[in-house]
Amino acid sequence: MKRRCIVHIDIDAFFAAVEELLNPALIGRPVIVGGLAHERGVAATCNYVARRYGIHAGMPLRQCYQLCPDGLFVRGNYQVYQAFSEKFFRLLYEYTPDVEEASLDEAYLEFTRCRHLYNSFPEAARRVKARVEKETGLKVSVGVAPNKILAKLATKKAKPAGFFEVEEGREEEFLRGLGIESLPGIGPKAQVILRLLNIHKIGDLWGLPRASLRSLFGLEGEEVYLQSRGIDSRPVFHRTAPKSVSRETTFLEDIWDRRLLLAHLAYLCDRLTLGLRQEHLYAHIIEVKARYSDFKTEVRRRLVLTPLQEMGAIYRIAEDLFLPLFASSRLSLRLVGVKASDLVRARPLSLFEPYSDREERLGAAVDQVRGKYGFGSVLTMREKMLDAIYAFERQRGFVLKTASLTR
Ligand code: DCP
Ligand code: CA
């Protein structure tokens, strides 16, 4: 089998680096992005100067201030970062069509398919790095390896502004000395357990039989076993972001009751926001659709300047759009739908409010509970009303049996 060539590329201190580029007076000083020092909320990121003070992404701003009172705090401007991100990816696609957009500032490139275009992969990867840095003005770190996990670990090693290649035959040597915390499968809890067993480096993990890992961590243990050996066959997955996400449902019988209609609307919004979270998308346009018993269909939409992902915020708009549609008609409804479009990837930052990841954490917590106990385990008051009407299959999740639900 031919050795694959994967390049992982990640912008250093992305938001903070953009701020430095826009305002060179910041360079060399600790910069914290996400809000002002006295504000509530947490740091979205900080530059490497600030990291020397112990500051990191996710730290409450007040704590950042305590660690570094001389730090320069900026709220940040999401639209600007988005523009840099788009430029970053445009450049990458010039080298290969196999680009996986892993996050706003991070990508995997695969050169395996277009190997005939390049004499040397590491050299090609260096060219990509130089080009991105020249065209965007931002520093990037680059890792080159035969698969994704090794490439990502190589980038970590290269940070900041570096380049690291895991050469053929030297994979073991590379992995051996890395800390166990660098593996994605090893969370804080697993770290504590392993450290008690005097396991600190990836190389130390090799001594543990597969069965022990499985009894320690269950299925995760299987993951850890493979990861610690640098085994990873995941393809570089080029996915284009969807243009829109929508959910709609046709009722078994036409509905006239307003509260019941709003309950369906809430359920659809809930399903819709689940889709947005899974794709890491935020919507600028929210749209509501109503089809009356005479099959006439009406659509109302609203543009929001701060893109939304959160259920409550999207539901409020959907309800606002929906009520007049319903009030203006004496007919009952046979279908309702919601749609989110003009989608952007990554979290919005407000110019007027400090950064906070409260909503994302809430969404993630809800998804986690539902993953375990089914969709119906967490419902809003409105949705609970549906619970009484439809027989929800809790084992298989929350399913509207009488209605078709389309993605
Ligand atoms: N980001 C965010 N919220 C987080 C983590 C990151 O808003 N919890 C934003 C700010 C970062 C950008 O995404 O600038 C990229 O995230 P990274 O994890 O790649 O962090 P940085 O690019 O800031 O630093 P590094 O040099 O470690 O990659
Ligand atoms: Ca980064």
Side-chain angles (χ1 to χ4, degrees):
M1 212 168 67
K2 280 206 202 106
R3 188 177 157 91
R4 295 166 72 202
C5 176
I6 312 290
V7 178
H8 180 254
I9 178 164
D10 184 305
I11 303 174
D12 295 330
F14 180 35
F15 293 0
V18 173
E19 294 300 330
E20 289 178 355
L21 198 64
L22 300 178
N23 178 7
L26 301 178
I27 294 171
R29 305 189 51 191
V31 177
I32 297 100
V33 183
L36 306 183
H38 58 276
E39 287 178 326
R40 292 169 50 190
V42 299
T45 191
C46 60
N47 66 1
Y48 279 75
V49 182
R51 289 181 201 193
R52 289 209 291 268
Y53 293 80
I55 296 171
H56 54 77
M59 181 178 275
L61 291 165
R62 286 186 193 161
Q63 193 182 344
C64 298
Y65 179 74
Q66 280 163 4
L67 288 172
C68 181
D70 295 332
L72 299 168
F73 290 76
V74 290
R75 281 182 169 154
N77 185 343
Y78 163 76
Q79 261 88 356
V80 176
Y81 309 144
Q82 174 88 16
F84 273 89
S85 171
E86 281 165 16
K87 178 152 192 191
F88 170 65
F89 287 110
R90 264 204 309 280
L91 290 165
L92 301 181
Y93 284 109
E94 290 181 18
Y95 292 85
T96 168
D98 296 324
V99 175
E100 177 172 329
E101 303 183 18
S103 74
L104 205 59
D105 75 328
E106 176 190 356
Y108 294 93
L109 316 184
E110 176 141 23
F111 283 146
T112 317
R113 266 210 303 167
C114 47
R115 55 176 59 218
H116 55 281
L117 294 176
Y118 302 102
N119 289 326
S120 142
F121 296 137
E123 191 204 305
R126 281 185 195 276
R127 281 217 304 274
V128 176
K129 173 168 154 62
R131 176 94 191 285
V132 168
E133 291 183 339
K134 179 164 171 277
E135 299 278 329
T136 64
L138 303 170
K139 290 285 178 215
V140 295
S141 299
V142 170
V144 180
N147 64 37
K148 280 163 79 172
I149 191 165
L150 287 170
K152 181 154 181 157
L153 290 170
T155 299
K156 215 178 230 173
K157 182 139 186 147
K159 268 191 182 290
F163 179 93
F164 190 88
E165 182 197 355
V166 182
E167 289 168 32
E168 189 157 10
R170 306 185 73 168
E171 293 86 356
E172 250 192 57
E173 180 189 330
F174 168 66
L175 285 168
R176 184 185 301 278
L178 296 177
I180 49 172
E181 70 286 347
S182 47
L183 293 180
I186 296 190
K189 269 194 212 146
Q191 264 185 62
V192 172
I193 297 172
L194 290 170
R195 289 193 199 290
L196 285 174
L197 297 168
N198 207 20
I199 290 172
H200 305 280
K201 297 276 168 25
I202 292 182
D204 301 336
L205 279 169
W206 299 340
L208 283 181
R210 210 170 176 142
S212 315
L213 280 170
R214 204 171 317 128
S215 60
L216 273 177
F217 304 120
L219 276 181
E220 275 296 283
E222 204 60 38
E223 262 301 303
V224 171
Y225 181 86
L226 295 173
Q227 287 179 9
S228 68
R229 284 159 178 77
I231 299 169
D232 180 4
S233 58
R234 286 174 301 162
V236 168
F237 185 55
H238 170 74
R239 75 192 129 160
T240 45
K243 294 266 176 292
S244 68
V245 178
S246 61
R247 297 287 184 275
E248 63 180 49
T249 182
T250 304
F251 312 122
L252 192 62
E253 283 172 25
D254 294 357
I255 298 180
W256 192 78
D257 184 271
R258 174 186 131 121
R259 277 175 56 222
L260 188 50
L261 286 168
L262 291 180
H264 281 91
L265 191 68
Y267 171 68
L268 293 169
C269 287
D270 202 354
R271 280 289 185 182
L272 178 96
T273 50
L274 173 66
L276 291 176
R277 282 199 296 276
Q278 282 169 345
E279 304 271 358
H280 307 288
L281 292 171
Y282 296 76
H284 274 293
I285 294 176
I286 307 297
E287 189 176 299
V288 164
K289 177 156 97 176
R291 182 164 299 146
Y292 302 95
S293 46
D294 63 357
F295 280 87
K296 207 173 137 256
T297 305
E298 291 241 37
V299 170
R300 290 274 185 284
R301 45 161 54 196
R302 181 173 302 164
L303 172 77
V304 286
L305 292 180
T306 306
L308 302 175
Q309 184 187 61
E310 193 248 331
M311 155 79 175
I314 289 180
Y315 175 75
R316 278 190 293 283
I317 292 178
E319 187 189 271
D320 222 36
L321 292 168
F322 178 75
L323 285 176
L325 273 183
F326 178 62
S328 66
S329 160
R330 295 243 189 82
L331 295 169
S332 52
L333 292 185
R334 53 178 288 113
L335 170 149
V336 291
V338 281
K339 179 165 154 182
S341 59
D342 198 350
L343 304 174
V344 291
R345 204 165 257 155
R347 163 209 324 274
L349 284 183
S350 163
L351 285 177
F352 308 107
E353 281 169 45
Y355 172 92
S356 154
D357 62 356
R358 201 191 131 267
E359 284 177 6
E360 280 78 6
R361 279 187 291 132
L362 184 66
V366 168
D367 291 343
Q368 205 177 6
V369 173
R370 283 175 171 169
K372 237 179 181 159
Y373 303 106
F375 195 91
S377 58
V378 185
L379 294 178
T380 60
M381 286 306 284
R382 284 204 187 285
E383 289 170 278
K384 283 223 165 74
M385 186 176 174
L386 293 183
D387 210 1
I389 294 166
Y390 297 109
F392 291 118
E393 285 181 51
R394 294 195 174 273
Q395 300 310 316
R396 286 175 35 206
F398 184 89
V399 179
L400 273 183
K401 276 198 147 175
T402 55
S404 71
L405 201 62
T406 46
R407 244 194 92 107

Coordinates of all heavy atoms in Angstrom, one line a residue, residues 208-216:
L208 N 0.6 -1.4 28.0 CA -0.7 -1.9 28.5 C -1.4 -2.8 27.4 O -1.5 -2.3 26.3 CB -1.7 -0.7 28.8 CG -1.5 0.1 30.0 CD1 -2.5 1.2 30.1 CD2 -1.6 -0.9 31.2
P209 N -1.8 -4.0 27.8 CA -2.5 -4.8 26.8 C -3.8 -4.2 26.4 O -4.4 -3.5 27.2 CB -2.7 -6.1 27.5 CG -1.9 -6.1 28.7 CD -1.6 -4.7 29.0
R210 N -4.2 -4.5 25.2 CA -5.5 -4.0 24.7 C -6.7 -4.3 25.6 O -7.5 -3.4 25.9 CB -5.8 -4.8 23.4 CG -6.6 -4.0 22.4 CD -6.5 -4.8 21.0 NE -7.4 -4.1 20.1 CZ -7.1 -4.0 18.8 NH1 -6.0 -4.5 18.3 NH2 -7.9 -3.3 18.0
A211 N -6.7 -5.5 26.2 CA -7.7 -5.9 27.1 C -7.8 -5.0 28.4 O -8.8 -4.6 28.9 CB -7.6 -7.3 27.5
S212 N -6.6 -4.6 28.9 CA -6.5 -3.7 30.1 C -7.1 -2.4 29.7 O -7.9 -1.8 30.5 CB -5.1 -3.5 30.5 OG -4.4 -4.7 30.5
L213 N -6.7 -1.8 28.6 CA -7.3 -0.5 28.2 C -8.8 -0.6 28.0 O -9.5 0.3 28.4 CB -6.7 -0.1 26.8 CG -5.3 0.5 26.9 CD1 -4.7 0.6 25.5 CD2 -5.3 1.8 27.6
R214 N -9.3 -1.8 27.5 CA -10.7 -1.9 27.4 C -11.4 -2.0 28.7 O -12.4 -1.4 29.0 CB -11.1 -3.1 26.5 CG -12.4 -2.9 25.8 CD -12.8 -3.9 24.8 NE -11.7 -4.3 23.9 CZ -11.3 -5.5 23.7 NH1 -11.9 -6.5 24.3 NH2 -10.3 -5.7 22.9
S215 N -10.8 -2.7 29.7 CA -11.4 -2.8 31.0 C -11.3 -1.4 31.7 O -12.2 -1.1 32.5 CB -10.9 -3.9 31.8 OG -9.5 -3.7 32.0
L216 N -10.3 -0.7 31.4 CA -10.2 0.6 32.1 C -11.2 1.7 31.5 O -11.8 2.4 32.2 CB -8.8 1.2 31.9 CG -7.7 0.8 32.9 CD1 -6.4 1.4 32.5 CD2 -8.1 1.3 34.3

